Amino acid sequence: SQQGEEDPQALSIQEGENATMNCSYKTSINNLQWYRQNSGRGLVHLILIRSNEREKHSGRLRVTLDTSKKSSSLLITASRAADTASYFCATDGFGNEKLTFGTGTRLTIIP
Amino acid sequence: DAGVIQSPRHEVTEMGQEVTLRCKPISGHDYLFWYRQTMMRGLELLIYFNNNVPIDDSGMPEDRFSAKMPNASFSTLKIQPSEPRDSAVYFCASSLGGKNIQYFGAGTRLSVL
């Protein structure tokens, strides 16, 4: 299985601080995506990074990808209370369209 | 667009009853995915369709589960008979192209008593 594992499982920080979450996966990938899930809601796509990319930005989000280490990180800068949610990485492999989701990081922003 | 629409949002049923979950994907999307989310197992892919055709149902837990997509705008996931261990949140997602962004519905929270 190429299921990703997020680290840490839970993270609590003060509003305004930066939050960093990591994802590791097991096999070669085509793309890696990050999703956010607010409590009681569906997942919402944040950012997609392709296997030939090393870094990508979107607003306050910065994603890095290291295919040699089979890992990715998501950085949220200047965190806000509204960023409180669970964050999941998801990978897809070559030859199929399935996404395999990681176990998630539960982020709590303390006002 | 209204996004992916799932119904019902909540379902409470008794063991042995048939349960049908419904999903309307985003218009124009050609892929539809059904997931199950539990605390113990996380988010699991059950089955996915491309152009209404089931492509991979290897995640369907057992024969009690079945899924159909009679047309591009509607899909169902049926559990018959339901068991308490089926209690979970079931999500439907759709995408344009298989390796692209998936758009999730709000989910159906199923409780089997």
Side-chain angles (χ1 to χ4, degrees):
Chain A
S1 165
Q2 59 182 12
Q3 182 177 26
E5 289 193 8
E6 280 87 344
D7 169 54
Q9 288 189 327
L11 178 64
S12 292
I13 61 173
Q14 293 291 134
E15 192 169 19
E17 294 181 340
N18 296 340
T20 300
M21 289 158 273
N22 303 296
C23 166
S24 60
Y25 55 91
K26 296 178 182 176
T27 60
S28 297
I29 63 168
N30 196 40
N31 302 309
L32 185 144
Q33 302 183 43
W34 284 90
Y35 286 79
R36 183 188 73 224
Q37 184 179 30
N38 290 89
S39 181
R41 304 284 187 92
L43 280 72
V44 175
H45 178 265
L46 295 176
I47 198 164
L48 180 153
I49 187 166
R50 304 195 186 282
S51 59
N52 62 354
E53 297 177 309
R54 291 297 168 258
E55 189 171 311
K56 205 159 184 182
H57 297 255
S58 176
R60 294 184 296 113
L61 306 180
R62 173 179 169 252
V63 169
T64 61
L65 178 64
D66 187 335
T67 53
S68 67
K69 295 181 179 179
K70 293 186 171 58
S71 68
S72 173
S73 67
L74 170 67
L75 169 67
I76 303 174
T77 60
S79 62
R80 305 167 181 170
D83 295 328
T84 293
S86 292
Y87 292 81
F88 296 86
C89 67
T91 55
D92 66 62
F94 297 95
N96 70 74
E97 297 92 358
K98 295 193 288 190
L99 283 184
T100 303
F101 284 83
T103 50
T105 292
R106 190 177 193 90
L107 175 65
T108 301
I109 307 300
I110 304 166
Chain B
D1 199 317
V4 176
I5 299 173
Q6 291 187 246
S7 64
R9 286 297 313 277
H10 302 276
E11 177 80 35
V12 180
T13 190
E14 292 186 347
M15 183 174 63
Q17 296 298 304
E18 177 180 294
V19 175
T20 299
L21 311 181
R22 297 173 176 80
C23 175
K24 176 179 169 55
I26 291 174
S27 177
H29 281 190
D30 55 351
Y31 280 83
L32 184 139
F33 304 83
W34 281 101
Y35 292 91
R36 177 173 68 176
Q37 187 177 39
T38 61
M39 289 294 293
M40 290 295 294
R41 300 175 67 91
L43 194 65
E44 303 173 279
L45 177 66
L46 301 177
I47 185 172
Y48 75 94
F49 296 81
N50 176 217
N51 291 324
N52 314 337
V53 176
I55 303 300
D56 187 338
D57 65 354
S58 60
M60 297 285 261
E62 47 198 274
D63 292 345
R64 298 184 297 106
F65 285 69
S66 62
K68 294 181 179 180
M69 192 165 185
N71 57 63
S73 59
F74 184 65
S75 177
T76 60
L77 177 67
K78 187 175 293 187
I79 308 172
Q80 166 64 10
S82 58
E83 296 182 2
R85 59 191 167 122
D86 301 331
S87 297
V89 181
Y90 291 81
F91 289 103
C92 174
S94 70
S95 70
L96 182 61
K99 292 182 183 290
N100 289 327
I101 297 166
Q102 293 188 13
Y103 295 83
F104 282 73
T108 295
R109 182 174 295 276
L110 174 64
S111 297
V112 183
L113 307 177

